[in-house]
Amino acid sequence: MTRAWQLAFLLALAAPVASAQEALRPYVVTGDAIQRSLTGRPGDAARGRAIVANRSAGLCLLCHSGPIPEERFQGTLAPSLAGAGSRWSEGQLRLRIVDGARLNPDTIMPAYYRITGLQRVARPFAGKTVLTAEQVEDVVAWLATLKE
Amino acid sequence: MKAARAALGLVSLFAATWAVAQGTLETRRSGYQDMGAALRQMQDDDTANPGMLFVQLGAAAWDKPAGASGKSCADCHGAASGMKGVAARYPAIPPGADKPVDLGGRINLCRTGRQQAEPWPAEHRDLLALEALVALQSRGEPIAPPADPRLAPFRERGAEIYRRRQGQLNLSCAICHDDNAGKQLAGVVIPQAHPTGYPIYRLEWQALGSLQRRLRNCLVGVRADAWPLDAMEYVELETYLMDRARGMKIESPAVRP
C-alpha cells in the first residue's frame, strides 16, 4: 500500500508526460455530450487502457476501480469503470472526461481537458490540460469497449 | 427469535441514545484506527517505534548548550517532562507576538531569542527530534487549543484553505478528508486529517516529518503550488485542524504508512 502511494507521488512529481502546451481544440457540447472527436479521429482503445492504468497519466485508478486486474491498488471514491460503455455513449463519456463540472459543478472528478477556473496550479502543470486531446480520445475509445 | 431480535434492537437503540447523551458518540477517527495491526503495534511499542530514536536525539539536544548564550533547553525549562501538555495546545501566539507559531516555530523562537543561536531550517533533524521529545510528554493528553480570541481569524483562514479547491486536479482538502474519508485512494484508506501524532514517522518518507511536510505531500498530489516553507498558510491550516481535533489524544511520535 505504501509502495503504491510512493509510486503515485513519485510519478506525479517526475513526469508531466501527459500534459501538452498545444492550443485547446474547440468542441461543441450538445445536451450532456460532446458528439465529435476532439481530434476529428477515433481514439486508440489499447492506448486508452494504458493511460487509464498509468497512475501519472490518467490517474483514473486513484479514484475509480476498473477491469485492469494487473493494477492491484484501485480506488473506491468513484464508480467502477466496468460497464461504462454500456451506461454512456462515446459523446457522453467525452464530456465527462473533458469537463464533468459542466454537468455537476460539485463533482470531484478533475476536468481533464480544461485550463480555466483552476487555482494555484503548480508551475509544471500551469496552462496544461491533464490529458491531451489525443489521450482523451484514446480513453474514450477504451471506455466505450467496456460493455456489461 | 423475533422477540430476541426486538430485544436486541431495543438494547442497541438504548446504547446509542445513551452514548449521544453522554457525548461519547465519537465519529472522529485518528489515522491510527485506519492502520493495519502491524503498524499500530509498531507505534505502540516504544522499542519498535522509529520515532523514539528521534526522541532520544531530542533528549540529548535538550541538555546541550547552544548559541551565544551557552544555555540549553534544560537550563530554562528543567526536565523535559515539565513540557507535558505543551504540544497539545500549539499553534499558539507567543508572548509579545501577534500571530501564531507551530511547535517547531516556538522552539526556533527559543533558539534565536534565548539561546542566541541560528534557527533550524524546516525539517531539520534536530528540530524534529526536539519536537518529538516535547510532543511525547503530551502523549495521551487531549488536544487543547488555547482559548485565545486572537487565534480566530487564523483558524478561519485555515478552514477556508481547507475547503478551497486548488491545483490542476482541482481538489480541496475537504473533498478527500471530509467527504471521502474512509474510502480508498489507490488502495489506501483516506484518513480524516486529525493531526494527533506529529511529528510522525511516515514509512513513505522513511523519516520523521512535520505536519507541514505532510500537507506539502497533498499539495503535490493535487498538482498545486506548495507554499514556501515559512508560509503562514501552514500554521493557519494547523490551527484549524487542531481545533477540529480538540479533545482527541496526542499520539506523538505516531507511525503512519
Side-chain angles (χ1 to χ4, degrees), chain B:
Chain B
M1 199 54 186
K2 222 177 194 174
R5 220 164 24 198
L8 194 69
L10 268 178
V11 167
S12 36
L13 184 68
F14 173 77
T17 319
W18 186 81
V20 170
Q22 303 293 306
T24 54
L25 198 65
E26 178 62 273
T27 54
R28 294 178 304 178
R29 292 169 65 83
S30 160
Y32 175 87
Q33 291 164 273
D34 295 323
M35 302 197 301
L39 283 186
R40 290 204 302 264
Q41 208 173 348
M42 186 190 280
Q43 176 174 317
D44 292 342
D45 179 354
D46 282 350
T47 64
N49 182 337
M52 293 306 288
L53 297 171
F54 292 86
V55 169
Q56 283 177 23
L57 287 173
W62 183 263
D63 292 325
K64 193 175 144 195
S69 73
K71 281 185 178 170
S72 71
C73 307
D75 287 333
C76 289
H77 294 283
S81 58
M83 304 305 277
K84 181 174 174 176
V86 171
R89 59 184 194 82
Y90 271 80
I93 301 178
D98 56 2
K99 53 182 200 281
V101 294
D102 57 19
L103 184 60
R106 186 68 190 83
I107 291 171
N108 262 339
L109 282 178
C110 268
R111 285 242 343 142
T112 54
R114 305 282 182 191
Q115 295 180 307
Q116 295 159 43
E118 286 295 306
W120 278 304
E123 304 299 309
H124 190 279
R125 191 194 66 173
D126 291 352
L127 176 60
L128 290 167
L130 269 178
E131 283 182 58
L133 174 72
V134 171
L136 173 69
Q137 311 309 317
S138 296
R139 193 156 68 174
E141 293 291 304
I143 290 175
D148 181 344
R150 295 174 301 163
L151 285 172
F154 297 96
R155 189 169 59 234
E156 279 153 24
R157 274 197 291 278
E160 196 273 320
I161 295 168
Y162 187 84
R163 290 190 290 262
R164 185 201 302 154
R165 286 180 184 249
Q166 51 180 325
Q168 192 195 38
L169 302 186
N170 204 25
L171 294 167
S172 67
C173 311
I175 285 174
C176 281
H177 296 281
D178 287 356
D179 303 346
N180 287 287
K183 295 183 187 167
Q184 293 188 1
L185 185 70
V188 180
V189 175
I190 300 176
Q192 286 183 354
H194 297 302
T196 48
Y198 286 89
I200 60 170
Y201 188 90
R202 198 171 190 216
L203 299 188
E204 185 184 311
W205 298 333
Q206 298 284 301
L208 197 72
S210 68
L211 173 60
Q212 189 183 106
R213 183 173 181 188
R214 182 64 191 81
L215 294 171
R216 290 172 73 89
N217 282 174
C218 272
L219 290 170
V220 168
V222 302
R223 300 179 174 180
D225 204 14
W227 296 287
L229 288 166
D230 58 352
M232 200 58 204
E233 279 85 349
Y234 297 112
V235 180
E236 289 166 348
L237 268 171
E238 184 172 358
T239 304
Y240 170 63
L241 293 175
M242 286 294 268
D243 189 65
R244 280 160 39 115
R246 182 186 293 274
M248 296 178 80
K249 300 273 194 286
I250 294 275
E251 303 165 34
S252 309
V255 174
R256 291 292 183 269

Side-chain angles (χ1 to χ4, degrees), chain A residues 1-2 5-6 9 55-56 59 62 73-77 106-108 110 118-120 122 125 128-130, chain B residues 164-171 175 180 183-188 190 204 217 220-221 223-225 227 257:
Chain A
M1 293 230 268
T2 306
W5 250 133
Q6 237 168 351
F9 277 119
R55 285 159 198 273
S56 69
L59 312 161
L62 296 182
F73 300 111
Q74 305 191 354
T76 63
L77 272 70
D106 295 328
T107 186
I108 67 171
L118 304 173
Q119 302 176 66
R120 305 193 60 259
F125 302 101
K128 296 175 184 172
T129 55
V130 181
Chain B
R164 185 201 302 154
R165 286 180 184 249
Q166 51 180 325
Q168 192 195 38
L169 302 186
N170 204 25
L171 294 167
I175 285 174
N180 287 287
K183 295 183 187 167
Q184 293 188 1
L185 185 70
V188 180
I190 300 176
E204 185 184 311
N217 282 174
V220 168
R223 300 179 174 180
D225 204 14
W227 296 287

